[in-house]
Amino acid sequence: MEAKAVPSVTFRDGRQMPLLGLGTFMASSEVVGQAVDAALETGYRHIDTAYLYGNEAAIGQTLKKWLDYGRLKREELFVVTKLPNTGNRAESVEKYMKKSLEALQLSYVDLYLVHSAVGYLEKENSSPFNRELDMSTDHISLWKAMEAQVDAGRARSIGLSNFNARQVKRIVQAARIPPANLQVELNVYFQQRELVAFCKALDVTVCAYAPLGSPAFPEFLSMFGNSLSDTPILSPLSDPVVAGVAEKHGRTPAQVLLRHVVQRGVVAIPKSSNPERIRENFQYVTSSRVPVQRPLLSRTMAYARKKARSSSVQLYSLLIIKQLYTIINKFY
Ligand SMILES: NC(=O)c1ccc[n+]([C@@H]2O[C@H](COP(=O)([O-])OP(=O)(O)OC[C@H]3O[C@@H](n4cnc5c(N)ncnc54)[C@H](OP(=O)(O)O)[C@@H]3O)[C@@H](O)[C@H]2O)c1
């Protein structure tokens, strides 16, 4: 099948990663297949999942259908999955990699990421969200086991997620196969300019998660009886500056937010389970219309700071640590 042209970023080894992918966190197994179908029909070729999302098998079924019917060739797809925190030690990597490949029904993934810098103890029959810290986590030996996945042909490229600049640099310096990509929270309210520049200097590409500000995340937390009353929640999708830019360009706020990320050469992986929004999120990124005005959007951050009376507007970076694991741990 002829794919629409999606711009890409290029890894140091020459491999390419499409600048736009479909995020699938909080997309249950019941709905994710339909979302992946809609995305592939639209022209997305990059799908982002993780062992922790619990939806790899459903995604795998849909991908298999496309591959078996000859609608896509494997090399046209870019599939990303992630090692869970409970696998953050050298001897666990191969096991989790194989589990993900089995669920996805693939012989390799295009990019395998260490989901988090923080490791958790792995206990028999325990939840993957078990949050007992593993104080013996060693990033260097863990990375060697990640490199072995490339050697074994299970991952074309390897990378990191939720690692800070110092941690990334340490791995780059010790690596035989350096990380190709760093996936972090990044959106117009949390632009990560220093980190992006730092990664660029190290030849590590960056992927933005929560590029729309993750509007469903507070609802996700409240499902488990938690509220965000002590944390300023701002919505880039309803920001008046973003709305103004959208109106000016005849686009939607989501399109403006995504364009603002990808025009910096940062990959964006907006999640949607809604076929119309999946199409909406794809259009502006592949269009050749005039890009979103940078100065206008840069002001948005100042606006956000003022409104929140704090620079801590990043949802995940605060809350994953503070709340998410506590809640999920209760749930499992
Ligand atoms: N590495 C990590 O630790 C990490 C952490 C978080 C996320 N991620 C990855 O990054 C992806 C994106 O992050 P995210 O899902 O948290 O947040 P997001 O992509 O910023 O926001 C997704 C939310 O926005 C809604 N939405 C999507 N398109 C829209 C549009 N055009 N207009 C209005 N609302 C729209 C979606 O609802 P509908 O589904 O109803 O459209 C969904 O609730 C995840 O799915 C996951 O793959 C990685």
Side-chain angles (χ1 to χ4, degrees):
M1 160 176 273
E2 186 79 10
K4 287 182 201 163
V6 181
S8 300
V9 292
T10 305
F11 297 156
R12 70 170 81 205
D13 64 4
R15 293 189 190 283
Q16 298 209 319
M17 177 180 195
L19 264 171
L20 188 78
L22 179 75
T24 64
F25 177 46
M26 295 184 251
S28 67
S29 295
E30 289 71 42
V31 302
V32 79
Q34 189 200 330
V36 172
D37 254 335
L40 295 177
E41 292 282 1
T42 303
Y44 291 73
R45 295 294 176 259
H46 166 186
I47 310 295
D48 181 87
T49 182
Y51 180 85
L52 284 175
Y53 301 169
N55 57 16
E56 288 174 312
I59 291 172
Q61 279 171 17
T62 304
L63 296 181
K64 184 169 168 25
K65 205 176 60 186
W66 278 70
L67 295 169
D68 284 355
Y69 293 168
R71 297 186 71 189
L72 273 180
K73 296 192 188 87
R74 174 65 186 91
E75 56 272 25
E76 291 175 288
L77 283 170
F78 193 96
V79 180
V80 184
T81 194
K82 311 181 192 92
L83 176 76
N85 307 57
T86 45
N88 269 18
R89 70 194 60 76
E91 60 274 25
S92 299
V93 174
E94 181 174 326
K95 177 180 75 179
Y96 281 104
M97 171 90 264
K98 286 182 169 170
K99 280 183 186 213
S100 287
L101 288 177
E102 192 185 341
L104 288 162
Q105 303 191 52
L106 297 174
S107 60
Y108 69 91
V109 289
D110 296 275
L111 181 62
Y112 195 48
L113 301 176
V114 180
H115 204 144
S116 166
V118 177
Y120 293 137
L121 293 176
E122 187 184 40
K123 293 186 173 170
E124 189 92 14
N125 300 323
S126 72
S127 139
F129 294 103
N130 159 31
R131 64 185 183 95
E132 279 181 74
L133 283 181
D134 180 355
M135 299 309 288
S136 69
T137 298
D138 170 24
H139 288 169
I140 303 302
S141 61
L142 173 62
W143 191 253
K144 287 191 193 316
M146 292 291 285
E147 292 174 329
Q149 304 315 302
V150 179
D151 296 337
R154 298 183 197 107
R156 289 283 196 257
S157 301
I158 46 179
L160 303 166
S161 180
N162 300 307
F163 276 58
N164 65 28
R166 190 176 50 81
Q167 293 163 334
V168 173
K169 188 175 177 187
R170 186 162 169 255
I171 289 182
V172 169
Q173 285 174 339
R176 176 170 57 84
I177 305 173
N181 184 258
L182 172 68
Q183 188 178 119
V184 287
E185 181 175 3
L186 187 154
N187 56 51
V188 74
Y189 285 164
F190 186 40
Q191 298 189 15
Q192 300 261 34
R193 292 203 175 257
E194 256 179 58
L195 183 62
V196 171
F198 186 84
C199 286
K200 196 171 177 201
L202 293 176
D203 211 357
V204 176
T205 61
V206 176
C207 174
Y209 74 69
L212 304 174
S214 200
F217 194 58
E219 190 188 316
F220 176 76
L221 291 176
S222 70
M223 274 164 46
F224 303 101
N226 271 256
S227 83
L228 299 173
S229 52
D230 60 341
T231 309
I233 297 300
L234 300 170
S235 167
L237 278 166
S238 49
D239 185 286
V241 180
V242 173
V245 177
E247 197 180 344
K248 181 174 172 179
H249 290 281
R251 296 291 171 173
T252 67
Q255 289 172 332
V256 167
L257 291 171
L258 295 174
R259 186 67 181 240
H260 184 245
V261 172
V262 301
Q263 74 184 13
R264 294 173 58 198
V266 172
V267 177
I269 46 170
K271 177 265 170 185
S272 182
S273 302
N274 174 322
E276 258 174 51
R277 287 172 169 176
I278 288 170
R279 287 189 282 276
E280 173 189 335
N281 295 345
F282 186 79
Q283 281 159 10
Y284 200 21
V285 173
T286 52
S287 90
S288 55
R289 293 265 313 262
V290 62
V292 170
Q293 291 168 344
R294 274 169 197 247
L296 196 55
L297 279 174
S298 299
R299 286 222 301 276
T300 306
M301 200 166 172
Y303 167 84
R305 283 207 169 115
K306 194 171 152 208
K307 192 169 166 197
R309 290 193 197 91
S310 153
S311 62
S312 303
V313 290
Q314 61 273 37
L315 277 177
Y316 283 100
S317 307
L318 276 177
L319 295 172
I320 277 184
I321 298 160
K322 269 174 56 187
Q323 296 180 332
L324 179 60
Y325 286 123
T326 318
I327 294 158
I328 291 168
N329 212 38
K330 261 194 232 159
F331 177 66
Y332 276 84

